[in-house]
Amino acid sequence: MDNFAKRLLQLREHKGISNQVIADLLNVQIRVVQRYIKGETTPPLEKAVILADYFNVSLDYLVGRSNDPTRH
């Protein structure tokens, strides 16, 4: 599992939401989110920004470039 997939799964579980909630947020089908979480694909930048905003973390944290989730 790549860094993005791992972080997305952790954030989703920490927030206690389903894949469907993320799919609705991103306006994609649930199977797309499942592929993100399995590490089969990554979202385009505009979707990653939406996720970072939703989870209130930096993009660097979301993609594994930083272990500090806070936004700077």
Side-chain angles (χ1 to χ4, degrees):
M1 184 180 291
D2 68 10
N3 287 329
F4 176 83
K6 188 183 307 182
R7 293 278 166 89
L8 180 57
L9 178 60
Q10 290 170 343
L11 290 165
R12 189 203 66 166
E13 289 175 342
H14 179 73
K15 198 162 182 103
I17 61 172
S18 67
N19 286 348
Q20 186 62 57
V21 170
I22 295 173
D24 293 344
L25 173 73
L26 299 177
N27 196 28
V28 298
Q29 295 180 351
I30 193 168
R31 69 176 172 248
V32 173
V33 175
Q34 291 167 337
R35 293 184 69 211
Y36 294 162
I37 289 178
K38 289 180 183 177
E40 295 173 355
T41 189
T42 55
L45 181 58
E46 63 271 9
K47 302 289 187 189
V49 169
I50 292 169
L51 288 169
D53 288 346
Y54 179 76
F55 289 111
N56 197 30
V57 298
S58 69
L59 276 174
D60 280 346
Y61 177 78
L62 191 58
V63 299
R65 289 180 42 141
S66 169
N67 289 325
D68 181 5
T70 59
R71 302 173 130 198
H72 297 288

